[in-house]
Amino acid sequence: MEEIAVYRKEHFNAAHRLYRPDWSNEQNELVFGKCNNHNFHGHNYELIIKLVGKINPDTGYMIDLKVLSDIIKEHILKKFDHKNLNLDVPEFAQLNPTAENIAIVIYNILRQQLPAQYKLQIKLYETERNFVEYPVSIL
Amino acid sequence: MEEIAVYRKEHFNAAHRLYRPDWSNEQNELVFGKCNNHNFHGHNYELIIKLVGKINPDTGYMIDLKVLSDIIKEHILKKFDHKNLNLDVPEFAQLNPTAENIAIVIYNILRQQLPAQYKLQIKLYETERNFVEYPVSIL
Amino acid sequence: MEEIAVYRKEHFNAAHRLYRPDWSNEQNELVFGKCNNHNFHGHNYELIIKLVGKINPDTGYMIDLKVLSDIIKEHILKKFDHKNLNLDVPEFAQLNPTAENIAIVIYNILRQQLPAQYKLQIKLYETERNFVEYPVSIL
Amino acid sequence: MEEIAVYRKEHFNAAHRLYRPDWSNEQNELVFGKCNNHNFHGHNYELIIKLVGKINPDTGYMIDLKVLSDIIKEHILKKFDHKNLNLDVPEFAQLNPTAENIAIVIYNILRQQLPAQYKLQIKLYETERNFVEYPVSIL
Amino acid sequence: MEEIAVYRKEHFNAAHRLYRPDWSNEQNELVFGKCNNHNFHGHNYELIIKLVGKINPDTGYMIDLKVLSDIIKEHILKKFDHKNLNLDVPEFAQLNPTAENIAIVIYNILRQQLPAQYKLQIKLYETERNFVEYPVSIL
Amino acid sequence: MEEIAVYRKEHFNAAHRLYRPDWSNEQNELVFGKCNNHNFHGHNYELIIKLVGKINPDTGYMIDLKVLSDIIKEHILKKFDHKNLNLDVPEFAQLNPTAENIAIVIYNILRQQLPAQYKLQIKLYETERNFVEYPVSIL
């Protein structure tokens, strides 16, 4: 039974603001620049889920992508899509919603929903030009 | 002297919320669905500016795209990028920031900044799958 | 009340074969080349629906894209997605499923489902490099 | 017999420099900026050919895209691909190879190669963000 | 002599159907859903070949991409493009043509055609949103 | 403190020619084909910079992408954009500007500009279909 990587791409639209409540306006402005706009700004986030596992010889699937897509919809998109990450998503109540932190939060949520037999990696595009990947390796 | 169309693509990231302040929560929810989230959501907007005019035989340019790009940066991106359209952009104080209305607002701003010799058309992508064009024709 | 164009992009995956049952194998091979493979081949079709109409001043929408998307799903995607155009779609029982003819069939179906107040145009990508548009103009 | 638009996308890679030999270095620098680099720079040009005509009811094709693609390869790509537009393409010996002028040159070449029954329009992407269209309308 | 990775992207269009001949219609329907349509459906597959090897200091190439592209054309595209994977490609006579299995079949074919000095990895896009990679690592 | 990968995409337009001055025209033609055009050709290069490092728990950033983007602009784009790689970039005075060598040159420049705490990998697209990655692994 061979190992293979399977990818599923989804997207969500959300507002966010980068800042630390315990910092002064000046410090937030200095560190986060225009991303610190008090009234929020937003993105069309593109999310790529990578799973590594063995192919099921009965079906030729590693995982049914319909099943994976439903898990992402239920546990990520419902929570993030058309939301304000700072105000609507409890995980970011005390955590700055940078692309890095959003990717880690998504990883932690999906890690609990997916069978342990699958290795998991998240790639998150905040814009076409800025994106992150977590964890760094799943080999 | 021949007429030609020249296009310049730019983008901006913004938060917005679709609703009418004079409607009840129920009616806003019914009409605007998840786009009515009180705490805003956001998009990476892609903006394509189309200008039609005559080629300058001295340069082979219809317009210097550096000049066009600077006008867009100064009058549109400064106003819209990393902003909350409802709260930060005066044009939407009383106007619902649908893709349709954003395109018309951008058209009206740029129309005043661009010489009358150029015909102008705006294409605005709210997502890769939802986009609008205004005006309908510039022939 | 201003006119504006609104676009919605959808996609479907389908198999097809180009041939005329009343032609010889040789003639079909000569005219349709590898697209005439007896056992079918297939595409990920990208479909862009363009509607032109007046903005509703109450909502700022020309049309609720959720409504448009549901109409496309119900009347086009259910009929075409994961189907064999030649064998599963009655409109192509006697009609060669070229990109040109598929676009016209989609236009005719949607024209009946959409209110007459909207002008309608179809763009259909068979591949990233080959695509068609129907009708030629809706001005 | 219905009219339809058919598109074919091709690409070529070429070097060019924007300048006028009868201008001083200073004036060329002022007008064309970094595009005036003496040693040339280059682009991956994307070319979209649009043809409008009637569908052949025998085949369901407006034009066999293989035929169109062969004409583009023979008369455009052979002439432009992996070439220096200023030095290798006679049409630009006295003509500044701006995107506008390249589009018009391509139009004039293809107009002679294509049957008069097809209306022709050229879209040329110099970069993903800068592109032109000629002629403005073929209605 | 340094190691580097070189990539070449190609595409092919094919029809397929997911099912097991030894299963009942009900079981095939349950497991493969709409991908089990008896009359086949199809895709525009995007194929990315990754080779890892040492740069030839004489040329600055790791491999001449023209040579790699010709090998892919001869041994993969001729076999898969505009074909029905289930009926026209012997490798899938007994093997379900899932994206996973197609990637492994392509890997096995190219592995035999390419010199052993190159490490080889396949990425195959069935749609823009569903894709696979094999083998999982070539480090 | 967790490790994460952060990516930034930039682009530049440049002319180049592939050849070795110590080879005959015939040998250059044989090995480099149309890429050996004496008068140069050009590309829109897409450049993806990948950095791996630990997230700063104070900011939620691994690196401020504005800082990374400024380093790329200052040390790569100023040197490469709208330039002739063979004639204008000293690193290629004796080195053939293949995609492989350009990626290594960019890596070596950025490696000196970036703090040692970040692991660095370069992906360079010469065209949408031909691209390279260096080094092969940064695990």
Side-chain angles (χ1 to χ4, degrees), chain D residues 4-70:
Chain D
I4 199 163
V6 169
Y7 298 82
R8 174 70 188 171
K9 185 176 165 192
E10 300 279 355
H11 72 271
F12 58 91
N13 311 314
H16 78 156
R17 171 197 176 190
L18 299 186
Y19 80 116
R20 287 188 52 147
D22 55 329
W23 284 2
S24 67
N25 279 348
E26 289 69 24
Q27 191 170 2
N28 274 309
E29 183 77 18
L30 185 70
V31 172
F32 298 115
K34 62 184 179 179
C35 297
N36 175 41
N37 176 24
H38 287 229
N39 290 324
F40 309 101
H41 64 284
H43 296 289
N44 301 338
Y45 291 92
E46 296 284 344
L47 172 64
I48 298 179
I49 304 300
K50 177 183 182 178
L51 290 186
V52 167
K54 296 209 169 92
I55 297 180
N56 178 339
D58 285 344
T59 60
Y61 280 162
M62 193 202 78
I63 188 172
D64 183 343
L65 278 173
K66 177 86 178 59
V67 170
L68 174 58
S69 177
D70 286 347

Side-chain angles (χ1 to χ4, degrees), chain E residues 1-45:
Chain E
M1 285 195 302
E2 312 238 31
E3 277 209 325
I4 199 163
V6 169
Y7 297 83
R8 173 71 188 170
K9 185 176 165 191
E10 300 278 356
H11 72 271
F12 58 92
N13 310 316
H16 77 156
R17 171 198 176 188
L18 299 186
Y19 79 115
R20 288 190 50 148
D22 55 330
W23 284 2
S24 66
N25 280 348
E26 290 69 23
Q27 192 171 1
N28 274 310
E29 184 77 18
L30 185 70
V31 172
F32 298 116
K34 62 185 180 179
C35 298
N36 177 38
N37 177 24
H38 286 230
N39 289 325
F40 309 102
H41 64 285
H43 296 289
N44 301 338
Y45 291 91

Side-chain angles (χ1 to χ4, degrees), chain F:
Chain F
M1 286 195 300
E2 311 238 29
E3 277 208 326
I4 200 163
V6 169
Y7 297 82
R8 174 71 188 169
K9 185 175 165 191
E10 301 278 356
H11 72 272
F12 58 93
N13 310 316
H16 78 156
R17 171 197 175 187
L18 299 186
Y19 79 116
R20 287 189 52 148
D22 55 330
W23 284 2
S24 67
N25 280 348
E26 289 70 23
Q27 191 170 1
N28 274 308
E29 184 76 18
L30 185 70
V31 173
F32 298 115
K34 62 184 178 177
C35 297
N36 176 41
N37 176 26
H38 287 230
N39 289 325
F40 309 101
H41 65 284
H43 297 289
N44 301 338
Y45 291 92
E46 296 283 346
L47 173 64
I48 297 178
I49 304 300
K50 177 185 182 178
L51 290 186
V52 167
K54 296 208 168 93
I55 297 180
N56 178 338
D58 286 343
T59 60
Y61 280 162
M62 194 202 78
I63 189 173
D64 183 343
L65 278 174
K66 178 83 178 60
V67 170
L68 174 58
S69 177
D70 286 347
I71 291 173
I72 302 170
K73 280 194 182 67
E74 181 63 29
H75 296 281
I76 303 298
L77 303 193
K78 263 198 191 170
K79 215 179 163 79
F80 289 73
D81 190 33
H82 282 76
K83 294 293 165 61
N84 182 309
L85 299 179
N86 303 74
L87 302 180
D88 297 328
V89 183
E91 282 84 347
F92 299 111
Q94 306 295 330
L95 184 69
N96 209 2
T98 58
E100 290 90 331
N101 282 335
I102 300 171
I104 294 175
V105 164
I106 291 173
Y107 175 86
N108 289 336
I109 294 171
L110 288 180
R111 184 65 285 174
Q112 296 208 317
Q113 300 301 328
L114 289 163
Q117 78 208 67
Y118 300 118
K119 293 172 199 153
L120 170 66
Q121 193 178 38
I122 305 297
K123 199 164 195 172
L124 181 74
Y125 288 73
E126 194 171 84
T127 70
E128 204 191 346
R129 295 174 161 246
N130 295 343
F131 42 110
V132 301
E133 195 175 38
Y134 178 84
V136 169
S137 170
I138 57 172
L139 296 185

